[in-house]
Amino acid sequence: MKTTKIIATGILAMGLATANLYALDTNERLELLESAMIEQATTPAQKSAVSEYLANIAKEKVEMAQALRDRAGSTRGGKALSQMNEKKELLRRAEALEKEAKKYQTVSMDLNQGSMRVAQN
């Protein structure tokens, strides 16, 4: 019985450890796909579509950051120290999302301007 519990705990721990690595790998894959989309966009229509996609992602990230800021501003029951730590973490995550949103907006605007230049030529 004890051996079964130890084996089950070991399998659970391995699963949790690899799940976090898989999440990082998924984010890297998404970044690679986005960069490939940007590089492969050659026609004005393609550049416009990718630009719109990136602008939508930026908008979603700004909205998520605002939701985190709203959540950080609300008060909940609990100890003051844990509330303060949670508020700091939520604000840190909101700032990170806003930085990512700015990157997406910048790339989106660059692509949009590039598609206009190609269309004018």
Side-chain angles (χ1 to χ4, degrees):
M1 191 70 169
K2 288 183 180 180
T3 308
T4 307
K5 286 183 181 180
I6 292 172
I7 291 172
T9 305
I11 291 172
L12 180 63
M14 291 291 286
L16 291 175
T18 57
N20 194 19
L21 293 175
Y22 182 74
L24 291 175
D25 191 35
T26 303
N27 287 337
E28 288 176 5
R29 287 182 187 177
L30 184 60
E31 288 176 11
L32 288 172
L33 284 172
E34 288 170 350
S35 63
M37 278 188 341
I38 293 167
E39 291 174 8
Q40 295 298 318
T42 54
T43 66
Q46 290 172 338
K47 288 184 179 186
S48 177
V50 172
S51 174
E52 187 175 328
Y53 168 77
L54 294 174
N56 285 336
I57 289 178
K59 181 180 174 186
E60 287 176 8
K61 288 188 181 286
V62 168
E63 289 172 357
M64 286 191 297
Q66 184 58 41
L68 288 174
R69 288 189 188 283
D70 291 345
R71 188 170 150 203
S74 67
T75 57
R76 293 166 300 284
K79 298 197 177 201
L81 184 60
S82 75
Q83 276 188 346
M84 188 173 67
N85 288 338
E86 183 180 4
K87 182 177 180 175
K88 284 181 184 178
E89 176 63 19
L90 290 172
L91 292 175
R92 184 193 63 77
R93 288 173 44 198
E95 286 178 22
L97 281 170
E98 287 174 344
K99 285 180 183 178
E100 288 180 28
K102 283 185 180 183
K103 287 180 193 176
Y104 278 101
Q105 284 176 333
T106 302
V107 174
S108 173
M109 290 188 327
D110 290 346
L111 272 175
N112 198 13
Q113 290 174 354
S115 69
M116 288 183 166
R117 276 188 236 128
V118 171
Q120 290 173 352
N121 290 337

